[in-house]
């Protein structure tokens, strides 16, 4: 069964088959990852996935990883993890990731990620990892901090470096910047100690607000899968009624006019989402909201979001009903990724002078 058949794909979600997986013909490579924890939300979409889909129109080689090992750093039920992997695979394809165009694979299916992670963990220090903001935020939620949470950015560095070539780009939201800086640092540390191998991966963050989409309940926080309050996130497969009820509860302030300003972070965050979803400037959003109170505006925004997400939601439901097809996509991705990972791992083994037998 093809993706086009399952999705009934039209215009924006159409496959881009004209690009073959011929790395030699490509100008550069893109690598990025997403965790199968919870559900995809607008932050994931505007911060990263939308860009991944757009990159399919370029001649870059694209590798996207579902980082299941990362999601073990927070407690998971086994059945949930497996279901989340299926759901995320379907969700990424529904957003427009074309498995004929991009390599999509599961991290745990390529063991070189953890092998390289170990080598890299020997090149950094505990104080350096302890300073990373994501660790500090998450550690604050735990009484006793799992070691995996601490090592998480090292594994992320291995994910990136395993596939790094000259000019590898890593498109992510702003929250990942420090982790990518760590990958850059670990690549250099490896090169210094064992001889040049890893090129410098480059973080690509949308400079406009897509890089940091805010929680609907607290604009000082990012929209996050791990937020216990599900009303803080709009998930990409939320039905229109749920989007509406979440938007009704979204934080605003005491001024009912709709305009953006630094003193109004909550309203500005909503207008920013609107701008991202409708492809407008903030000025354009202000005109669209002219004459509305913030309460009325939130319902308008709910409609805009529901309309924008409708094709994703429909394709997602169809794809989730095809778990065998989704497994085939991941298996094909694994084969491509494993070839590449093995080449890098062999070079690491050679530099470090590990003995494989
Ligand atoms: P994850 O799964 O939390 O998020 C996936 C992508 O979505 C972006 N993102 C956001 N962007 C803007 N606003 C938000 N509110 C928002 N929330 C999430 C993230 O920045 C990310 O780009 N550690 C990574 C996964 C990872 C990875 C990698 C990424 C593992 N290895 C290697 C790149 C390269 C993470 O937890 O992403």
């Amino acid at each position: 069964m093809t993706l086009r058949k399952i999705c009934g794909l039209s215009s924006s979600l159409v496959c881009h088959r004209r690009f073959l997986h011929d790395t030699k013909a490509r100008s550069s490579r893109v690598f990025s990852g997403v965790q199968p924890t919870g559900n995809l939300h607008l932050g994931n979409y505007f911060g990263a996935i939308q860009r991944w889909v757009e990159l399919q129109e370029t001649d870059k080689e694209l590798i996207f990883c579902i980082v299941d090992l990362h999601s073990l750093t927070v407690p998971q039920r086994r059945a949930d993890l497996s279901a989340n992997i299926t759901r995320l695979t379907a969700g990424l394809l529904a957003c427009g990731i074309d498995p004929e165009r991009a390599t999509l694979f599961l991290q745990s299916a390529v063991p070189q990620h953890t092998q390289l992670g170990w080598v890299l963990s020997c090149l950094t220090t505990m104080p350096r990892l302890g300073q990373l903001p994501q660790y500090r935020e998450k550690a604050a939620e735990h009484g006793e901090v799992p070691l995996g949470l601490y090592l998480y950015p090292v594994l992320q560095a291995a994910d990136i470096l395993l596939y790094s070539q000259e000019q590898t780009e890593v498109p992510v939201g702003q929250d990942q910047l420090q982790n990518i800086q760590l990958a850059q640092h670990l690549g250099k540390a490896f090169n210094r100690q064992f001889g040049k191998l890893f090129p410098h991966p480059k973080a690509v963050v949308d400079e406009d607000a897509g890089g940091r989409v805010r929680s609907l309940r607290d604009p000082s926080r990012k929209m996050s899968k791990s937020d216990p309050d599900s009303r803080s996130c709009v998930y990409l497969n939320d039905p229109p009624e749920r989007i509406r009820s979440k938007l009704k509860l979204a934080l605003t302030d005491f001024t009912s006019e709709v305009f953006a300003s630094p003193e109004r972070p909550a309203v500005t965050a909503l207008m920013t989402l609107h701008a991202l979803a409708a492809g407008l400037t903030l000025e354009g959003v202000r005109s669209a909201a002219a004459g509305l109170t913030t309460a009325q505006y939130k319902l308008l925004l709910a409609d805009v979001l529901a309309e924008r997400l409708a094709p994703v939601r429909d394709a997602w439901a169809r794809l989730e009903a095809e778990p065998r097809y989704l497994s085939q996509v991941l298996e094909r991705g694994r084969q491509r990724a494993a070839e590449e990972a093995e080449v890098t791992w062999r070079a690491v083994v050679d530099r470090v002078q590990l003995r494989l037998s």
Side-chain angles (χ1 to χ4, degrees):
M1 174 109 42
T2 65
L3 175 63
R4 189 186 294 268
K5 270 201 192 129
I6 293 170
C7 294
L9 287 175
S10 63
S11 56
S12 65
L13 299 177
V14 157
C15 308
H16 305 280
R17 284 169 207 280
R18 63 185 179 278
F19 294 104
L20 300 172
H21 277 273
D22 176 5
T23 53
K24 289 186 198 80
R26 298 192 179 287
S27 60
S28 60
R29 178 176 284 173
V30 171
F31 178 89
S32 198
V34 54
Q35 286 195 63
T37 316
N39 202 349
L40 287 176
H41 53 66
L42 288 173
N44 299 129
Y45 186 72
F46 291 122
I49 296 164
Q50 176 173 254
R51 174 90 186 117
W52 302 359
V53 173
E54 286 165 2
L55 281 162
Q56 295 181 138
E57 300 289 351
T58 68
D59 69 347
K60 296 175 197 288
E61 186 194 4
L62 307 174
I63 307 179
F64 301 124
C65 184
I66 295 180
V67 292
D68 54 340
L69 295 173
H70 282 277
S71 67
L72 298 180
T73 55
V74 290
Q76 290 258 3
R77 288 192 324 175
R78 240 159 41 117
D80 285 351
L81 179 59
S82 171
N84 282 346
I85 290 167
T86 305
R87 177 159 11 117
L88 178 57
T89 310
L92 291 172
L93 301 190
C95 288
I97 298 296
D98 174 4
E100 300 290 327
R101 169 67 185 92
T103 296
L104 179 65
F105 75 104
L106 194 58
Q107 182 189 34
S108 62
V110 180
Q112 288 86 351
H113 288 246
T114 43
Q115 290 173 305
L116 179 58
W118 177 257
V119 173
L120 297 178
S121 74
C122 300
L123 298 174
T124 189
T125 63
M126 291 173 62
R128 182 161 205 133
L129 296 180
Q131 274 167 19
L132 291 169
Q134 273 209 318
Y135 166 76
R136 284 159 61 146
E137 266 168 39
K138 288 206 175 148
E141 294 161 16
H142 292 73
E144 290 197 26
V145 180
L147 184 57
L149 201 55
Y150 202 74
L151 285 172
Y152 179 114
V154 178
L155 182 58
Q156 180 160 349
D159 300 338
I160 296 168
L161 293 175
L162 212 44
Y163 303 94
S164 283
Q165 290 180 331
E166 288 310 324
Q167 299 175 10
T168 292
E169 290 173 16
V170 188
V172 283
Q174 253 171 27
D175 60 327
Q176 298 299 311
L177 268 182
Q178 261 115 342
N179 289 354
I180 295 176
Q181 283 160 1
L182 182 78
Q184 294 164 342
H185 161 76
L186 287 174
K188 274 196 210 144
F190 181 98
N191 292 348
R192 247 193 327 271
Q193 188 156 335
F194 298 110
K196 185 154 174 43
L197 175 62
F198 294 117
H200 189 78
K202 188 170 141 222
V204 182
V205 176
D206 205 342
E207 283 308 325
D208 70 28
R212 189 170 175 86
V213 172
R214 318 255 160 194
S215 152
L216 296 182
R217 306 287 299 161
D218 176 358
S220 68
R221 295 169 68 90
K222 65 172 185 172
M223 191 175 277
S224 165
K225 290 181 204 139
S226 55
D227 195 321
D229 184 352
S230 65
R231 296 168 308 173
S232 65
C233 288
V234 173
Y235 299 115
L236 302 188
N237 56 357
D238 273 345
E241 324 76 75
R242 199 167 308 143
I243 298 179
R244 225 175 144 82
S245 63
K246 286 179 178 176
L247 262 293
K248 272 188 191 164
L249 293 171
L251 203 71
T252 48
D253 55 28
F254 296 112
T255 309
S256 83
E257 200 188 335
V258 181
F259 65 92
S261 94
E263 289 78 49
R264 307 188 74 199
V267 174
T268 306
L270 294 180
M271 293 176 73
T272 304
L273 255 188
H274 189 160
L276 289 165
L280 294 172
T281 58
L282 280 180
E283 227 11 78
V285 172
R286 182 154 191 196
S287 309
L292 299 181
T293 63
T294 46
Q296 291 163 336
Y297 172 66
K298 288 195 286 185
L299 297 181
L300 169 71
L301 176 55
D303 289 344
V304 169
L305 294 175
E307 195 183 317
R308 173 69 195 263
L309 295 178
V312 174
R313 198 177 54 248
D314 293 349
W316 196 335
R318 280 194 291 276
L319 283 155
E320 261 197 291
E322 298 288 344
R324 275 192 44 202
Y325 168 72
L326 299 173
S327 299
Q328 283 163 11
V329 166
L330 292 181
E331 172 52 20
R332 230 171 342 133
R334 182 197 68 76
Q335 288 170 12
R336 291 182 200 136
E339 268 175 37
E340 190 65 38
E342 182 58 15
V343 171
T344 310
W345 177 242
R346 289 267 161 188
V348 170
V349 164
D350 182 55
R351 299 283 195 294
V352 179
Q353 301 210 353
L354 296 169
R355 289 184 53 167
L356 294 186
S357 61

